[in-house]
Amino acid sequence: MEREKFGGRLGAILALAGSAIGLGNIWRFPYMVGENGGAVFIIIYIAATLLLSLPIFFAEFIIGRRTQSNCIGAMKKLAPGTAWKWFGALSIFIPLFILSYYSVVGGWSLEYLVQACSLTFTNADAVEVRGLFGEFITGTWGPLVFFTIYLLLVLGVILGGVRKGIEKFSKLTIPLLFILVVIIAVYSVSLPGSSAGIAYLVRPDWSKVTPATLVNALGQSFYSMSLGMGIIITYSSYIKKQENPVVTGFATGVSDFLFAIIASFAIIPAVFSAGIEPGAGPGLIFETLPFIFTSLSETMPVLSSIIAILFFLTILIAALTSSVSLMEVGVAYFVDEKKMKRSSASLLVFTMVWIAGAVCSLSFGPLKGITLLGNNIFDIFDKFASNFLLLIGGMLTLVFVGWKMDKEAVRDEFTSSGKARGSRRLFESTYFLIKYVAPVLLGIVFIANFL
Ligand code: PHE
C-alpha cells in the first residue's frame, strides 16, 4: 500500500508548527526572556535558532524525506547493516518516553479546562485556588482519569491517519491557537500595572546576560522546535519531494518563535499586574495563573472567567498537537517495519505509553516515595529525556548527516534536486553549520547540563 503523505505545503508546515508549539513556549520561554535580559535574549535566541536549531531541523528533514521512512527504516536504507540502526531505535524510543509524562501534564490541563468551565476560579478564594494544584496532582484517580482521556484524544487524531487526522487537526487548531493567544495577550497588556511586565520582557538588560544565557537560548530553541527525537524525520517522510525544505524549516521556526513571543505577552504582563513574581514550569500555569484569574474575578467576573477558559483551552491544544507528533513517530515505525495496520499500531503505542504514563501520574501520589536524588519518577523521566536523551539524538543526527552521509545526497535532498528556490545558495553554509557549528553548540549545552 502506498505510504500516506501530507496534502500540501500548508498542511505540512502546520503539522510541524503544531509539534513545535507546545508547553515549552508557554511555561518556559516567557520567564526565560525576562530573566535573561529581555530584548537581548530575544536576539540571542534568534541566533541560536539560526545556528543550531535550523541546521538540525534540516538534517532531520534530509533523513526523513530522502528515505520516506520511519526512523529505523531510514537508517536501514541509508546505512544498511551498521550500528546506525540503534540511532533509529533511539529516535523511536525517545518520543514515546516523552509522551508518557507529557500526557500527564496534558491531563492536568484538561482537568483545569474543566475547572475553568465550572467557574472554580471565579467563585473561590484566591489563596485556596493556588493550593488546588497540589491537592489535585497528589490524588490517585483524578489525574489518572484525565491523563487517560487526554491520551485517548491523541489516539483519536492518530487513528485518523496522516492526512485526515494529523493534517486536518493541525489546520484546524494552529490558526485557532494563534487567535486565542492574541486575545489573551490583548487582555493581559490592558490590565492595570501590566507595563512593568512589558518592560521586563522587552527592556534590554545586559547585566542579566551571562554564559548561562547562551546555554538557555540554545537549549530552549532546540527543545521548542521538537528536535532530536525523530519527529522531524517522521513528519518529513510524509512531505512531497517538490516541497522546499528551506521554506518548510523557516516557516516552522518563525511560527514557533512568534507563538512564544505572543504567549509571553499573554502571561507576563498579567503576572506583574497581579503583583506576583514571575516563574516558570507547572507552577506558573497551574498555580499562579489560576490565582490571578480568581483575583481578577472580583472586579471583572465575566471577562476573567472567559479568559480562564480560553487560556486553558490554549494550553490543552498546544499540548495536544505536540503529543500527536510524539505518538506518530512510534506508529510510523510499527506500520512501516512491522507491517501492522495503522489502527493496531496506534493501539499498541497507546498501551505502551499509557503504562509508563500511569506510573508518572501516580508518582505525585501513591508512588511519591520512589525517588532518586530527590526527584520523583515524573521528574526523573523529564530530566533524563530533556537534558540527556534529546541532546544525544540531536548530536547523532548531525554526525550522521554531516559526516556519514554522502555530501551529494545531502545536497540533492536539501535543494530538492536543484529545484528548490534559494536552497542552492544556502547549501554550503548550511552544510558547514551541520558539520561543525551545530555539533559544537549542542556539545556546549550538553556539558553545561552536567555542571
Ligand atoms: N516543542 C514542544 C514545546 O515547546 C515540546 C515538545 C517536546 C514537543 C517534545 C514534542 C516533543 O513544548
Side-chain angles (χ1 to χ4, degrees):
M1 205 176 78
E2 216 199 311
R3 223 163 159 268
E4 245 193 306
K5 290 251 169 3
F6 288 127
R9 172 179 300 174
L10 185 68
I13 291 174
L14 292 178
L16 284 161
S19 174
I21 297 171
L23 294 169
N25 302 51
I26 299 173
W27 77 20
R28 205 159 41 195
F29 183 86
Y31 177 71
M32 213 176 243
V33 173
E35 288 303 298
N36 287 282
V40 190
F41 179 80
I42 295 178
I43 292 171
I44 298 175
Y45 183 88
I46 294 175
T49 305
L50 293 174
L51 300 178
L52 174 74
S53 306
L54 278 171
I56 303 183
F57 181 98
F58 292 135
E60 290 197 29
F61 188 102
I62 286 164
I63 297 176
R65 200 180 58 173
R66 183 117 195 122
T67 56
Q68 310 273 305
S69 282
N70 66 92
C71 301
I72 290 190
M75 288 301 114
K76 283 193 190 155
K77 285 188 183 163
L78 292 173
T82 65
W84 282 103
K85 69 165 181 290
W86 292 107
F87 163 55
L90 184 72
S91 306
I92 288 167
F93 170 74
I94 300 175
L96 299 186
F97 188 75
I98 295 185
L99 183 59
S100 63
Y101 68 86
Y102 205 81
S103 302
V104 172
V105 183
W108 299 343
S109 30
L110 187 58
E111 143 80 11
Y112 268 68
L113 177 60
V114 172
Q115 294 286 357
C117 292
S118 7
L119 303 184
T120 305
F121 309 128
T122 316
N123 301 326
D125 166 78
V127 177
E128 259 170 39
V129 157
R130 234 177 162 162
L132 278 182
F133 182 56
E135 249 171 67
F136 174 68
I137 62 170
T138 48
T140 304
W141 294 107
L144 207 52
V145 168
F146 280 99
F147 153 71
T148 307
I149 301 175
Y150 177 86
L151 205 55
L152 283 170
L153 292 174
V154 179
L155 176 70
V157 177
I158 292 290
L159 282 175
V162 173
R163 210 186 262 209
K164 295 220 177 79
I166 303 175
E167 180 171 346
K168 214 165 163 195
F169 185 65
S170 312
K171 279 187 169 162
L172 189 83
T173 51
I174 301 302
L176 178 66
L177 268 182
F178 273 93
I179 296 173
L180 287 169
V181 78
V182 166
I183 297 176
I184 303 168
V186 169
Y187 171 77
S188 172
V189 299
S190 71
L191 292 170
S194 61
S195 53
I198 301 176
Y200 172 81
L201 285 175
V202 299
R203 200 173 32 217
D205 183 350
W206 285 96
S207 70
K208 287 182 174 168
V209 180
T210 62
T213 308
L214 300 182
V215 175
N216 285 338
L218 291 166
Q220 172 68 15
S221 171
F222 173 81
Y223 180 81
S224 195
M225 281 189 68
S226 304
L227 302 170
M229 55 190 128
I231 290 181
I232 314 300
I233 298 183
T234 307
Y235 272 14
S236 347
S237 76
Y238 301 135
I239 294 180
K240 292 184 182 150
K241 283 286 182 191
Q242 68 266 30
E243 294 303 336
N244 186 336
V246 180
V247 173
T248 315
F250 274 89
T252 307
V254 169
S255 11
D256 184 42
F257 174 70
L258 266 187
F259 188 88
I261 293 283
I262 307 173
S264 305
F265 284 96
I267 293 173
I268 301 290
V271 171
F272 273 79
S273 136
I276 312 176
E277 282 291 304
L284 173 71
I285 52 179
F286 298 115
E287 290 173 338
T288 306
L289 290 167
F291 174 82
I292 297 174
F293 294 135
T294 306
S295 317
L296 288 171
S297 66
E298 282 165 24
T299 44
M300 35 184 148
V302 179
L303 198 55
S304 78
S305 312
I306 296 175
I307 295 289
I309 294 172
L310 299 186
F311 185 79
F312 286 107
L313 186 62
T314 308
I315 306 259
L316 176 67
I317 299 176
L320 272 176
T321 50
S322 294
S323 302
V324 164
S325 70
L326 289 166
M327 193 180 267
E328 180 61 24
V329 176
V331 172
Y333 164 71
F334 287 111
V335 171
D336 289 350
E337 301 300 307
K338 302 288 166 201
K339 307 288 171 231
M340 286 171 78
K341 277 206 288 209
R342 189 170 178 88
S343 50
S344 334
S346 311
L347 282 174
L348 177 64
V349 170
F350 172 88
T351 312
M352 295 192 301
V353 171
W354 188 86
I355 294 171
V359 174
C360 289
S361 174
L362 295 174
S363 71
F364 292 94
L367 301 181
K368 69 169 175 290
I370 307 176
T371 58
L372 183 71
L373 303 173
N375 295 302
N376 67 7
I377 300 174
F378 178 99
D379 291 334
I380 298 170
F381 270 44
D382 181 22
K383 289 190 179 153
F384 184 54
S386 316
N387 299 342
F388 185 71
L389 290 180
L390 287 185
L391 303 177
I392 304 274
M395 190 63 98
L396 289 174
T397 311
L398 290 168
V399 171
F400 187 81
V401 176
W403 298 86
K404 161 88 185 140
M405 256 180 98
D406 172 38
K407 184 173 176 185
E408 288 319 303
V410 176
R411 184 199 304 274
D412 183 61
E413 200 55 48
F414 183 75
T415 58
S416 294
S417 307
K419 292 200 257 329
R421 244 195 308 152
S423 60
R424 264 176 307 175
R425 254 183 306 129
L426 282 176
F427 178 72
E428 287 300 335
S429 46
T430 307
Y431 193 70
F432 182 78
L433 291 175
I434 292 178
K435 203 165 168 126
Y436 302 105
V437 180
V440 171
L441 294 176
L442 201 59
I444 294 175
V445 178
F446 193 84
I447 294 167
N449 282 341
F450 283 98
L451 297 182

